[in-house]
């Protein structure tokens, strides 16, 4: 296991190092699919220059990173490439631990309890399969072209992904304190990971055998404890930022920027076209509608998946990356890294062929239509937005397909694999 | 979405698609071809109309009258050109200055990667002369360009002279709202390229040029004039630019409108328009005109000086005077008036031309086919690839769903070590493609040393040699696969997986190509789709190998050469055709190096490797 992993790591690092040194790096770091106004390296450099001059980096409307980020780069700006190389590596190690840890545990759990019907054994995974999952997860993340592009563009998205991966690791290891702190850090970085609070809480409750019951005091005790850690560290981090910069400038400039979407540069998300077309006086209303999308699904999903918090984390991350205001391919890569962990759902997936075709075609068409629109001047923004829509349609289909497959597998685990109708014919499951 | 989520209906649909896969594919292919041929049928096309308001409603009166003076200027220019043995720069500068223009020159030099035998040039050194007429009525933020190439021999003298005469006439008018740049460029496209790069401060092709001393505003439109005789019978409009890019259709409409107004015969692809669309001859004529446009667009080169302007977002077209044996002649004054009218209309523009179509085919000057009409023809061909891929996918998935094949499905998990075996042919094919792209130009010196050939021949023959060598690949990849693969069903699985990958790859590739350059995508689809969709390892090898080679990208180019010659009514014998084919290849490589045409890298780096993957499948056992 160690040998292929090392090999993989070497390959991944080599690809990135070669691309960093090639003339492609500059081209890639300008692509709107890869960098957003939030995480573009060019803007970080601008912020650093302002900071060095003793001006607030948030004066002017260029820099939108958090204060921690700018101070991090203030110290390591000369080694920026190494930082960006390390961050996916970090995710990689984590994903390795994460999956092995979680899945072996679950496997044991599944084998020990013989409450499943006999014919469902093939739904459970053999340890041999599990053994390769960390490798696959690492491969999916490290060799994913999306991650490579994002890393070569020096998009700070990679660092955010690393924080989220660390948070997931700590959660799975059962360390509520670290998990809370890292969640706060992730929230501080980009607000949206806020929705991961629910799955993390559910996971700890499950781990400590505390039933989700609103009348139980132990439930409330733990919830409050975890919420306190989370909110407390959020307050501390924000306070620290204030002391670092000496002003609250970063609040409107980072979070205001995320929420009110003033920068309508085209990207792979759904926001830019709508808000470029919209009359100004409807703007506030539709921003609320669009932003609510990210947070709203937390409630029904938490209720439906309260027994499966890890899958819930995956769903939440996917939803964030689809509906966030400035998505980049780096965000997409994060949740795609989870897919091998659900390889046991593969047989229940229905649209995987369609989805992979759509995602593949869209990834190729983004640069083509961008070229036609911006350089050739023959196409226009509608063409590009059509592909954006299709890309997001593909992502949503992918996520819902996995959701359905997960539910269906759970159903089969309890009811047996080969369902019969009352009259003896083969029954099919329909998601309604 | 009901179709996607209701399992029983899904099953019916996939069952239908897999059972009827072959008939559906054949129908799609035939429908695609028929649809495409139908595009030239007049009732299916739209009549062209002027979309741009600023050019439509305001009619202008043309008063240009110094056609005779232009012709005497042409003689003078010819004399000076002979004396200077090239472009008479000083005379041109003086002539432009005396007409009240701000005159500047730009010198440039370019060493070609290998000698261009068609135009007999290797080390190119030249000078562009341009004069700017400053707009009296507006800030100098926008400009129009009229360009005439200074060609060797006694061609294009009349064009340069008419340019000067127009400059003199324009100078005395007060209505100009845009600067007008009169450009005389040497070495046709290379000069234009140098001037455009200088104007826009870019350097994308490694050209050496002196910076421009004088500039006008952002260029809105450009007209290139080619005229080699005192009187002409018809004017030909050339639209196809670099990488198959076309100018806005309104520019063609404008030209057509003025030809109608002044009674000048106008052609496109050298073909006059016919009115008898309901006869067989009429239809054939329109189809030939459209096919010529498709072939010209597909080859991705610039068919006139205008082609390079398009890259800079400047709408441009070439107007070419043709003198044939026809009785009806048009004099220089009328051509001058036509240009005057067109420039005045362009002068009225309030914004860039954008109202009309950018994606179109022209079966005649008054009829056009827009993207919405021609895309289905390509779509019908592309959908075959997707249908085949779906079919393979269903076959791949079937054993995994059947309970008896459980142990089998485990071994078929994606990213099992076997994926590496599929990866091997993919990587090797692409490496061959990279060799095809890089080696011909870099190895020419070595080839010239060892073989008795010229540099140009060396490049072309190396390309063909590498292309042919690629066909030997399956034997190389098999050695790897034998070691890794033992069981028969896994072997089958692997080939299916490889074919699935290759089909999807080809579909995406052709789709992207067709969006940028419809004609190229369509031509490639017509030849590649039937063979790629039907290929499996279980076919008579020799026969199918022959068919595959005959439908490979290189042979497609060869066929295109013959068809093109047939359509321009200059049929060639096989040996002449072969020589033309060789020169087309060298021109393609040169176009890529000089102007950044993308057809050669596309074919070498993507289409050819993709074809090699299918070649691999045929020899998979």
């Amino acid at each position: 296991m160690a040998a292929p992993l090392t090999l993989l790591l070497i390959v991944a690092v080599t690809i990135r190092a070669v691309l960093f040194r090639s003339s492609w790096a500059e081209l890639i770091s300008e692509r709107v699919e890869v960098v957003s106004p939030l995480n573009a390296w060019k803007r970080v450099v601008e912020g650093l220059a302002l900071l060095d001059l003793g001006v607030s980096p948030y004066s002017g409307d260029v820099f939108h990173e958090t204060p921690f980020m700018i101070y991090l780069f203030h110290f390591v700006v000369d080694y920026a490439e190494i930082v960006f190389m390390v961050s996916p590596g970090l995710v990689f190690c984590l994903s390795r631990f994460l999956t092995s840890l979680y899945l072996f545990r679950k496997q044991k759990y599944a084998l020990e309890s013989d409450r499943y019907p006999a014919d469902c054994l093939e739904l459970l995974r053999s340890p041999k399969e599990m053994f390769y999952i960390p490798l696959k997860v690492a491969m999916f993340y490290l060799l994913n072209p999306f991650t490579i592009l994002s890393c070569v563009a020096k998009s700070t998205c990679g660092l955010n992904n690393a924080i989220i991966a660390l948070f997931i690791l700590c959660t799975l290891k059962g360390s509520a304190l670290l998990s809370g702190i890292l969640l706060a850090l992730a929230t501080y970085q980009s607000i949206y990971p806020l929705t991961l609070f629910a799955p993390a809480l559910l996971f700890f409750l499950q781990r400590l055998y505390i039933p989700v019951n609103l009348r139980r005091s132990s439930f409330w005790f733990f919830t409050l404890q975890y919420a306190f850690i989370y909110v407390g560290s959020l307050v501390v981090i924000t306070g620290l930022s204030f002391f670092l910069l000496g002003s609250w400038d970063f609040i409107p400039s980072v979070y205001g920027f995320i929420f009110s979407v003033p920068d309508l540069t085209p990207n792979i998300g759904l926001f830019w076209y709508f808000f470029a077309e919209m009359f100004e006086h409807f703007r506030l209303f539709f921003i609320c509608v669009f932003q609510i999308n990210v947070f709203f699904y937390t409630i029904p999903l938490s209720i439906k998946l309260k027994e499966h918090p890890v899958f819930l984390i995956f769903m939440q991350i996917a939803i964030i990356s689809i509906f966030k205001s400035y998505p980049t391919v780096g965000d997409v890569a994060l949740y795609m890294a989870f897919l091998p962990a659900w390889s046991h759902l593969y047989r229940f997936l229905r649209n995987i062929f369609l989805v992979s075709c759509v995602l593949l075609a869209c990834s190729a068409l983004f640069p083509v239509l961008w070229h036609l629109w911006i350089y050739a001047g023959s196409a226009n923004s509608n063409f590009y937005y059509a592909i954006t829509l299709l890309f997001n349609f593909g992502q949503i289909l992918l996520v819902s397909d996995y959701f359905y497959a997960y539910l269906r597998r759970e159903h089969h685990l309890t009811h047996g694999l080969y369902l019969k109708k009352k009259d003896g014919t083969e029954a099919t499951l329909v998601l309604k | 979405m009901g179709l996607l989520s209701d399992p029983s209906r899904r099953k019916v649909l996939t069952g239908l698609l897999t059972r009827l896969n072959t008939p559906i594919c054949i129908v799609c292919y035939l429908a695609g071809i028929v649809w495409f041929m139908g595009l030239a049928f007049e009732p299916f096309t739209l009549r062209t109309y002027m979309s741009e308001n600023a050019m439509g409603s305001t009619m202008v009166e043309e008063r240009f009258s110094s056609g005779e003076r232009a012709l005497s200027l042409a003689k003078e220019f010819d004399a000076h050109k002979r004396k200077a043995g090239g472009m008479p720069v000083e005379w041109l500068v003086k002539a432009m200055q005396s007409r009240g223009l701000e005159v500047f020159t730009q010198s440039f030099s370019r060493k070609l990667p290998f000698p261009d035998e068609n135009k007999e040039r290797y080390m190119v050194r030249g000078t562009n002369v341009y004069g700017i007429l400053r707009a009296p009525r507006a800030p100098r933020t926008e400009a129009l360009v009229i360009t005439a190439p200074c060609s060797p021999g006694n061609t294009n003298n009349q064009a340069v002279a008419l340019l000067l005469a127009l400059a003199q006439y324009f100078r005395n008018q007060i209505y100009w709202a845009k600067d007008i740049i009169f450009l005389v460029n040497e070495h046709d496209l290379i000069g234009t390229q140098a001037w455009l790069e200088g104007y826009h401060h870019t350097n994308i092709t490694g050209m050496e040029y002196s910076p421009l001393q004088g500039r006008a505003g952002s260029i809105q439109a450009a007209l290139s004039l080619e005229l080699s005789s005192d009187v002409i019978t018809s004017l030909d409009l050339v639209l196809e630019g670099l990488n198959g890019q076309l100018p806005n259709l309104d520019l063609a409409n404008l030209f057509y409108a003025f030809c109608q107004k002044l009674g000048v015969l106008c052609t496109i692809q050298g073909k006059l328009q016919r009115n008898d669309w309901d006869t067989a001859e009429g239809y054939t004529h329109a189809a030939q005109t459209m096919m010529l446009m498709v072939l010209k667009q597909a080859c991705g080169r610039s068919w006139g000086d205008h082609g390079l302007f398009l890259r800079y977002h400047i709408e441009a077209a070439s107007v070419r005077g043709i003198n044939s044996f026809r009785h009806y002649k048009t004099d220089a004054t009328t051509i001058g008036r036509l240009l005057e009218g067109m420039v005045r209309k362009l002068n009225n523009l309030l914004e860039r031309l954008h109202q009309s179509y950018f994606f179109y085919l022209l079966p005649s000057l008054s009829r056009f086919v827009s993207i919405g009409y021609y895309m289905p023809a390509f779509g019908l061909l592309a959908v075959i690839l997707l249908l085949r891929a779906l079919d393979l996918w269903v076959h791949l998935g079937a054993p995994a769903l059947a309970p008896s094949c459980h142990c089998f499905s485990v071994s078929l998990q994606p990213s099992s070590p076997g994926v590496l075996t599929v990866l091997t042919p993919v990587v090797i094919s692409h490496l061959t493609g990279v060799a095809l792209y890089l080696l011909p130009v870099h190895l020419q010196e070595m080839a010239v040393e060892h073989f008795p050939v010229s540099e140009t021949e060396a490049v072309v023959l190396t390309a063909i040699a590498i292309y042919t060598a690629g066909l030997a690949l399956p034997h190389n990849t098999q050695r790897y696969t034998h070691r890794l693969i033992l069981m028969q069903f896994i072997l089958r699985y692997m080939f299916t997986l490889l074919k699935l990958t290759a089909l999807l790859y080809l579909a995406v590739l052709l789709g992207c190509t067709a969006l940028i350059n419809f004609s190229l995508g369509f031509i490639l689809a017509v030849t590649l789709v039937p063979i790629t969709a039907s290929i499996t390892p279980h076919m008579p090898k020799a026969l199918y190998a022959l068919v595959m080679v005959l439908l490979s990208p290189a042979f497609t180019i060869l066929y295109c050469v013959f068809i093109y010659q047939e359509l321009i009514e200059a049929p060639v014998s096989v040996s002449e055709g072969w020589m033309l084919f060789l020169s087309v290849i060298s021109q393609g490589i040169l176009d890529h190096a000089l102007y950044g045409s993308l057809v050669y890298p596309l074919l070498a780096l993507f289409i050819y490797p993709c074809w090699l993957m299918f070649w691999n499948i045929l020899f998979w056992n």
Side-chain angles (χ1 to χ4, degrees):
Chain A
M1 195 63 184
L5 274 176
T6 322
L7 188 70
L8 180 67
L9 201 61
I10 290 171
V11 170
V13 168
T14 317
I15 293 175
R16 283 166 172 77
V18 167
L19 281 175
F20 265 132
R21 297 274 167 258
S22 73
S23 55
W24 293 82
E26 202 184 336
L27 182 78
I28 293 170
S29 64
E30 307 256 305
R31 299 295 316 175
V32 286
E33 296 90 356
V34 182
V35 294
S36 71
L38 271 181
N39 56 26
W41 177 246
K42 226 157 103 180
R43 294 176 184 248
V44 177
V45 173
E46 170 77 13
L48 283 173
L50 288 176
L51 191 71
D52 285 344
L53 290 174
V55 187
S56 161
Y58 299 102
S59 56
D61 192 35
V62 177
F63 183 73
H64 303 289
E65 300 280 353
T66 51
F68 272 23
M69 208 51 128
I70 192 164
Y71 274 96
L72 171 71
F73 282 114
H74 190 61
F75 295 116
V76 299
V77 71
D78 296 332
Y79 312 103
E81 286 187 12
I82 298 172
V83 172
F84 283 108
M85 298 271 242
V86 166
S87 62
L90 214 60
V91 177
F92 147 82
C93 302
L94 302 173
S95 52
R96 182 185 163 202
F97 285 119
L98 168 163
T99 42
S100 51
L101 210 82
Y102 160 65
L103 291 166
F104 276 111
R105 203 183 64 81
K106 191 171 177 210
Q107 177 74 21
K108 218 161 58 188
Y109 177 70
L111 287 178
E112 275 167 5
S113 64
D114 41 19
R115 63 191 168 112
Y116 299 133
D119 61 347
C120 291
L121 270 181
E122 65 180 86
L123 287 183
L124 302 174
R125 288 186 291 186
S126 64
K128 183 172 160 285
E129 271 175 76
M130 309 282 262
F131 186 68
Y132 280 111
I133 282 177
L135 181 64
K136 284 185 199 166
V137 170
M139 206 159 78
F140 254 63
Y141 192 76
L142 287 182
L143 298 186
N144 190 334
F146 288 164
T147 330
I148 294 175
L149 288 178
S150 175
C151 176
V152 172
K154 297 193 206 168
S155 152
T156 52
C157 175
L159 294 174
N160 293 349
N161 285 356
I163 294 174
I164 293 176
L166 265 173
F167 150 72
I168 297 170
L169 177 74
C170 293
T171 311
L172 295 179
K173 284 210 157 185
S175 159
L177 179 66
L178 272 180
S179 151
I181 292 173
L182 282 165
L183 182 59
L185 198 59
T187 315
Y188 166 77
Q189 279 292 337
S190 61
I191 287 278
Y192 293 115
L194 173 69
T195 57
L196 297 176
F197 180 80
L201 180 66
L202 284 171
F203 184 84
F204 284 118
L205 290 175
Q206 196 184 52
R207 192 183 158 88
L208 299 170
Y209 302 105
I210 303 173
V212 184
N213 187 337
L214 295 185
R215 280 191 223 125
R216 295 279 288 269
S217 63
S218 61
F219 167 75
W220 282 111
F221 179 69
F222 185 80
T223 309
L224 285 177
Q225 197 184 349
Y226 190 64
F228 180 74
I229 297 172
Y230 172 64
V231 175
S233 38
L234 200 57
V235 168
V236 169
I237 291 169
T238 321
L240 268 178
S241 309
F242 172 71
F243 288 120
L244 273 176
L245 278 181
S247 78
W248 292 109
D249 279 352
F250 68 96
I251 301 275
S253 191
V254 178
Y255 308 116
F257 188 76
I258 293 174
F259 274 123
S260 64
V261 206
D263 191 316
L264 298 178
T265 317
N267 56 30
I268 58 170
L270 298 164
F271 280 68
W272 61 273
Y273 187 85
F274 269 102
F275 290 102
E277 297 285 314
M278 194 163 291
F279 288 117
E280 199 57 35
H281 49 278
F282 294 124
R283 197 182 158 93
L284 183 64
F285 171 71
F286 277 102
I287 279 183
C288 295
V289 172
F290 270 63
Q291 296 284 6
I292 254 176
N293 257 316
V294 186
F295 302 101
F296 177 73
Y297 299 110
T298 314
I299 303 161
L301 282 177
S302 306
I303 295 168
K304 188 75 196 166
L305 292 172
K306 62 174 184 284
E307 304 292 321
H308 314 286
V310 180
F311 190 73
L312 184 55
I313 290 182
F314 161 73
M315 292 292 292
Q316 285 296 348
I317 291 177
I319 284 171
I320 288 173
S321 90
I322 295 168
F323 291 111
K324 75 190 283 192
S325 46
Y326 302 101
T328 60
V329 291
D331 300 304
V332 180
L334 179 63
Y335 80 81
M336 281 195 173
F338 275 83
L339 296 185
W342 319 121
S343 61
H344 55 295
L345 303 180
Y346 186 69
R347 54 187 297 156
F348 297 119
L349 293 179
R350 298 164 306 165
N351 297 323
I352 192 72
F353 177 71
L354 182 71
V355 168
S356 30
C357 283
V358 166
L359 293 184
L360 200 74
C362 286
S363 315
L365 285 176
F366 272 131
V368 168
L369 288 173
W370 182 260
H371 169 86
L372 285 180
W373 173 23
I374 300 296
Y375 295 103
S378 38
N380 52 41
S381 57
N382 301 322
F383 288 59
Y384 191 76
Y385 189 62
I387 291 305
T388 310
L389 274 184
L390 195 62
F391 187 69
N392 283 297
F393 162 76
Q395 287 191 78
I396 290 168
L397 204 59
L398 178 76
V399 173
S400 54
D401 217 20
Y402 267 94
F403 181 59
Y404 165 82
Y406 197 88
L407 292 184
R408 187 164 161 198
R409 178 173 175 271
E410 289 306 317
H411 186 87
H412 281 306
L413 277 178
T414 42
H415 294 100
L417 186 53
Y418 303 105
L419 300 174
K420 297 272 188 275
K421 275 189 198 150
K422 275 176 191 142
D423 55 355
T425 54
E426 195 178 326
T428 47
L429 281 179
V430 180
L431 183 71
K432 279 190 178 159
Chain B
M1 286 299 283
L3 205 60
L4 290 177
S5 54
D6 184 350
S8 53
R9 265 191 266 168
R10 275 170 66 89
K11 206 172 278 177
V12 172
L13 186 70
T14 44
L16 201 71
L17 284 182
T18 41
R19 208 152 20 86
L20 295 177
N21 202 279
T22 314
I24 293 179
C25 286
I26 293 171
V27 167
C28 277
Y29 187 76
L30 293 179
I33 303 283
V34 169
W35 186 296
F36 179 73
M37 293 318 293
L39 291 178
F41 191 51
E42 199 172 308
F44 297 159
T45 58
L46 297 172
R47 176 171 285 282
T48 53
Y49 55 92
M50 188 74 82
S51 302
E52 177 60 59
N53 263 333
M55 295 199 309
S57 55
T58 53
M59 284 315 279
V60 291
E61 192 183 344
E62 299 81 29
R63 295 223 180 87
F64 177 77
S65 56
S66 38
E68 291 306 315
R69 198 183 301 163
L71 294 180
S72 62
L73 258 177
K75 294 200 178 70
E76 201 180 328
F77 175 71
D78 187 37
H80 281 92
K81 194 159 90 172
R82 272 170 217 272
K83 207 161 69 186
M87 184 144 129
V89 177
E90 279 170 27
W91 182 83
L92 264 176
V93 170
K94 256 185 216 140
M96 281 190 182
Q97 261 163 358
S98 70
R99 280 164 182 81
L101 306 179
E102 289 178 32
V103 189
F104 307 93
T105 58
Q106 181 205 27
S107 56
F108 60 89
S109 69
R110 179 80 164 96
K111 181 170 173 276
L112 271 56
F114 56 89
D116 182 354
E117 291 191 346
N118 282 24
K119 291 187 174 138
E120 289 169 0
R121 55 189 183 190
Y122 183 49
M123 293 285 299
V124 178
R125 202 175 289 280
T127 314
N128 292 325
V129 180
Y130 65 102
I132 304 175
L133 168 61
R134 296 294 183 187
R137 291 185 65 136
R140 302 160 174 185
T141 50
E142 293 175 337
L144 302 173
V145 174
I146 307 178
T147 156
C150 171
S151 322
N154 52 4
T155 49
N156 266 341
N157 294 335
Q158 282 79 358
V160 177
L162 191 57
L163 190 87
L164 292 173
L166 277 174
Q168 185 165 23
Y169 172 73
F170 284 179
R171 178 74 177 83
N172 298 322
Q173 307 308 318
I174 48 152
Y175 40 65
W176 300 115
K178 296 178 174 37
D179 292 353
I180 302 177
I181 305 174
F182 296 90
L183 167 68
V184 180
N185 55 304
E186 205 176 354
H187 298 297
D188 48 62
L189 286 171
I190 298 183
T192 316
Q193 174 84 6
W195 190 80
L196 278 169
E197 289 194 356
Y199 199 90
H200 295 99
H201 298 296
T202 54
N203 196 340
I204 37 181
T205 52
M207 176 94 68
E208 280 171 37
Y209 55 81
S210 60
L212 295 188
Q213 297 302 319
R215 297 176 79 254
S218 88
I219 303 173
Q220 305 290 306
L223 288 174
S224 166
L225 184 63
E226 292 172 34
L227 202 63
S228 303
S229 57
D230 290 352
V231 285
I232 56 151
T233 50
S234 60
L235 279 178
D236 189 44
L237 183 68
V238 187
L239 297 170
E240 299 85 2
L242 195 71
N243 291 326
Q245 210 179 331
L246 299 170
N248 196 289
L249 187 56
D250 269 344
L251 205 60
N253 296 339
L254 184 65
F255 172 77
Y256 183 62
F258 272 99
C259 283
Q260 298 291 88
K261 187 182 172 195
L262 296 172
V264 181
L265 275 183
C266 53
T267 60
I268 189 153
Q269 325 299 350
K271 304 249 183 207
L272 266 178
Q273 192 174 346
R274 290 171 65 132
N275 293 322
D276 51 343
W277 57 269
D278 42 357
T279 61
E281 291 85 44
Y283 168 74
T284 324
H285 189 80
Q288 281 175 347
T289 316
M290 194 181 72
M291 274 307 292
L292 267 174
M293 177 158 187
V294 167
L295 286 173
K296 278 182 167 179
Q297 198 190 3
C299 84
R301 64 191 297 196
S302 172
W303 286 83
D305 280 348
H306 71 282
L308 299 174
F309 283 89
L310 296 173
R311 178 195 292 166
Y312 296 91
H313 225 309
I314 301 165
E315 305 314 319
S318 286
V319 176
R320 190 171 286 164
I322 292 174
N323 195 14
S324 67
F325 305 111
R326 205 180 283 272
H327 203 61
Y328 183 82
K329 303 279 185 192
T330 307
D331 61 353
T333 308
T334 319
I335 305 169
R337 284 193 175 165
L338 184 120
L339 287 172
E340 183 203 349
M342 286 179 73
V343 174
R344 277 196 70 179
K345 286 271 187 143
L346 290 171
N347 180 52
N348 287 342
L349 281 182
L350 296 176
E351 43 189 338
R352 279 174 193 280
L353 283 175
H354 66 281
Q355 299 273 10
S356 194
Y357 295 82
F358 283 95
F359 300 101
Y360 53 86
L361 295 176
L362 294 172
S364 72
L365 255 178
S366 64
R367 292 269 161 184
F368 76 104
V369 182
S370 76
I371 184 168
Y373 288 82
Y374 66 62
M375 250 344 189
F378 173 79
L380 282 169
L381 296 185
V383 85
I384 295 175
L385 298 174
L386 296 179
L387 280 176
R388 295 307 288 195
L390 181 72
D391 186 41
L392 289 176
W393 177 261
V394 171
H395 282 145
L396 271 185
L401 286 179
S404 57
C405 297
H406 167 58
C407 54
F408 180 66
S409 70
V410 170
S411 67
L412 296 193
Q413 286 292 323
S415 79
S416 61
V419 167
L420 281 179
T421 24
V422 174
L423 215 58
T424 320
V426 175
V427 170
I428 290 184
S429 309
H430 279 88
L431 288 181
T432 322
V434 172
L436 182 59
Y437 175 66
L438 289 179
L439 292 186
V441 175
H442 288 105
L443 283 188
Q444 49 169 320
E445 281 166 25
M446 215 170 77
V448 169
E449 260 176 46
H450 294 285
F451 301 100
V453 285
S454 72
E455 274 100 343
T456 318
E457 283 168 344
V459 170
V460 176
L461 295 177
T462 319
I464 294 177
I466 296 173
Y467 187 90
T468 324
L471 303 188
L473 271 183
H475 309 289
N476 297 336
T477 53
Q478 263 165 38
R479 224 172 296 152
Y480 292 102
T481 52
H482 271 307
R483 224 180 298 152
L484 289 166
I485 293 179
L486 300 166
M487 282 175 288
Q488 190 59 38
F489 63 80
I490 296 199
L491 200 68
R492 279 190 61 87
Y493 171 75
M494 283 309 144
F495 114 73
T496 321
L497 201 62
L498 178 61
K499 187 170 174 193
L500 184 66
T501 321
L503 278 175
L504 288 180
Y505 184 46
L506 185 65
V508 169
L509 211 54
L510 288 180
C512 291
T513 312
L515 268 178
I516 294 180
N517 185 346
F518 164 77
S519 306
L520 183 61
F522 185 77
I523 288 179
L524 287 173
V526 166
T527 51
L528 286 177
V529 163
I531 195 68
T532 50
S534 60
I535 206 83
T536 64
H538 317 297
M539 297 167 139
K541 292 250 164 13
L543 177 68
Y544 271 85
L546 183 70
V547 174
M548 264 206 89
V549 169
L550 286 182
L551 288 177
S552 73
F555 275 86
T556 311
I557 299 177
L558 189 64
Y559 304 143
C560 287
V561 168
F562 279 110
I563 295 174
Y564 179 73
Q565 291 298 327
E566 201 61 46
L567 286 176
I568 61 168
E569 289 157 15
V572 287
S573 66
V574 175
S575 62
E576 284 171 330
W578 176 252
M579 294 314 292
L580 268 177
F581 170 67
L582 297 185
S583 86
V584 162
I585 294 179
S586 73
Q587 289 299 314
I589 300 177
L590 271 180
D591 277 350
H592 172 58
L594 289 180
Y595 319 117
S597 153
L598 292 175
V599 176
Y600 172 56
L602 175 81
L603 287 179
L605 294 175
F606 297 104
I607 302 286
Y608 172 63
C610 190
W611 179 85
L612 270 185
M613 280 155 74
F614 288 100
W615 180 257
N616 259 307
I617 293 170
L618 182 64
F619 289 97
W620 191 276
N621 48 26

